[in-house]
Amino acid sequence: MQLSVSREDFVRVYEAGRPQIVTTRLVADLETPVSAALKLADGQPDSFLLESVEGGAFRGRYSAIGFKPDLIWRCRDGRAEINRQAKIDRDRFEAEELGPMESLRRLVAACRIDDYPAGVPSIAAGLFGYLGYDMVHYMERLPDANPDTLGIPEAVLIRPTVVAVFDNIEDLVTLCTPAWPDSGLSAEAAYDRAAERLRDAVDSFGRSLPHRRERSEDAGHLPEPVSNTPKEVYLAAVEKAKAYIRAGDIFQVVPSQRFRVPFSLPSISFYRALRRLNPSPFLFHLDLGDFSVVGSSPEIMVRLRG
């Protein structure tokens, strides 16, 4: 296994107190992002798979798999919490003294890596996860009368220690591991640990996928989705929205409702079905242990580069 950084160069940057990324590359012409995700992170909580299919016909250049986070940040009921011991205890959260947005800004700043390797996509390291719509209440003063029926955090972000970046054009996968300066860990030991993380990932690529015969308890019949909104209430919301449009008060609105359907298989199975039925530019599977977030979106909300 050839690493992108020599021991001497690594030690110099580490002892200067700067984070860095160590990588190694593999030929991936016999792998897909899904098969790699099953080998690297199947069944592991706090992992993700991000893919892109443009226009339903052209696959985006990069896909990413991240797993084994060393840090987890979350916001629940207006309180930010951080788990800095996620590798050994995923439940060891400590409350932040700052508000959610201030805590998040500080964390983002602390997770910046300026010494980025040439040729490595920017998705190779950082914070990954979701910010729910309710996070808007920490940015603007808005009514908050909606009931919390799911009981999940308003936001969860993880910092993976290993990210596998697929280049679907060159048929290469770049295994990336960030090294964050730690006063309790020598540079030599940090380099050895980074190499060990990458070696474990390389070994995982070499194993065979287990034979999976997944059959849902509901196989043979499709259960009826159950909405949280009666039909007459939803239709009334549509008419109200049309009245606002005619009055010139709004130009766009999305009346929404939540559907529930029983599903007994692993969430990655749901993701695999979704990516076949509805390929899109923004496909995502986040396995967060107690729950998963899976989606297929045609558009991006916001992007900032540079």
Side-chain angles (χ1 to χ4, degrees), residues 167-246:
D167 186 327
N168 295 302
I169 293 179
E170 296 188 1
D171 282 335
L172 292 174
V173 60
T174 304
L175 295 170
C176 313
T177 184
W180 308 96
D182 182 349
S183 59
L185 188 67
S186 70
E188 294 282 347
Y191 185 81
D192 290 338
R193 291 190 183 184
E196 182 180 3
R197 291 193 294 269
L198 294 178
R199 189 175 297 109
D200 288 344
V202 170
D203 291 343
S204 294
F205 265 99
R207 69 183 180 92
S208 300
L209 283 174
H211 181 61
R212 302 165 72 103
R213 286 184 60 105
E214 295 176 339
R215 185 175 178 83
S216 171
E217 297 174 359
D218 306 304
H221 71 280
L222 295 177
E224 285 293 324
V226 178
S227 172
N228 69 336
T229 306
K231 182 177 180 179
E232 60 274 12
V233 174
Y234 186 82
L235 294 179
V238 172
E239 291 301 322
K240 186 176 181 180
K242 290 162 67 176
Y244 276 115
I245 292 173
R246 286 192 293 267

Side-chain angles (χ1 to χ4, degrees), residues 101-131:
M101 298 310 299
E102 292 78 10
S103 170
L104 181 55
R105 289 189 185 97
R106 184 172 69 175
L107 179 62
V108 169
C111 293
R112 288 184 61 88
I113 297 179
D114 295 322
D115 296 294
Y116 223 79
V120 175
S122 59
I123 202 172
L127 296 168
F128 301 81
Y130 73 88
L131 301 181

Side-chain angles (χ1 to χ4, degrees), residues 261-283:
V261 178
F263 189 78
S264 58
L265 296 178
S267 59
I268 189 67
S269 298
F270 183 86
Y271 173 81
R272 292 172 64 192
L274 183 63
R275 73 191 288 275
R276 291 180 63 85
L277 292 171
N278 187 37
S280 78
F282 301 98
L283 291 154

